[in-house]
């Protein structure tokens, strides 16, 4: 499990994005437990992703890389009603 953020393009069309992810760094004990039980450390309040947006608590959070997620997005910005999307 990891956390990441990327911006959705404002232009219509098909977009290929790479979203870099991170996760809280686990202690040795948490890694040992995670190997047998699964899972890992998580943020207590995911809305604490104010950490991602530049919050004051970022300096206290120890993180490690969790990989990259490749996204393929189809963005429609006009005439959404013609495609069956209710606004």
């Amino acid at each position: 499990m990891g956390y990441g953020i990327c911006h959705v393009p404002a232009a219509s069309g098909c977009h290929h994005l790479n979203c870099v992810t991170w996760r809280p760094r686990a202690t040795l004990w948490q890694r040992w437990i995670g190997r047998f039980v699964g899972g890992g450390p998580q943020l207590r309040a995911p809305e604490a992703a104010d950490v991602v947006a530049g919050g004051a608590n970022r300096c206290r959070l120890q993180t490690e890389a969790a990989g990259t997620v490749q996204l393929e997005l189809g963005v429609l910005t006009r005439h959404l009603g013609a495609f069956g999307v209710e606004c």
Side-chain angles (χ1 to χ4, degrees):
M1 177 175 187
Y3 302 90
I5 186 169
C6 62
H7 298 281
V8 175
S12 297
C14 184
H15 300 276
H16 299 276
L17 304 173
N18 289 322
C19 183
V20 178
T21 62
W22 56 272
R23 64 179 169 230
R25 180 173 289 156
T27 64
L28 181 60
W29 174 254
Q30 289 170 330
R31 281 188 231 141
W32 189 78
I33 293 295
R35 187 169 300 275
F36 295 104
V37 179
Q42 299 177 7
L43 295 178
R44 288 186 183 175
E47 60 272 5
D50 117 76
V51 169
V52 173
N57 295 328
R58 179 185 294 183
C59 62
R60 296 188 312 182
L61 185 62
Q62 295 182 355
T63 64
E64 57 189 20
T68 302
V69 176
Q70 296 178 353
L71 302 169
E72 185 175 326
L73 301 177
V75 178
L76 301 172
T77 57
R78 293 185 59 197
H79 308 298
L80 295 178
F83 295 98
V85 177
E86 297 179 14
C87 298

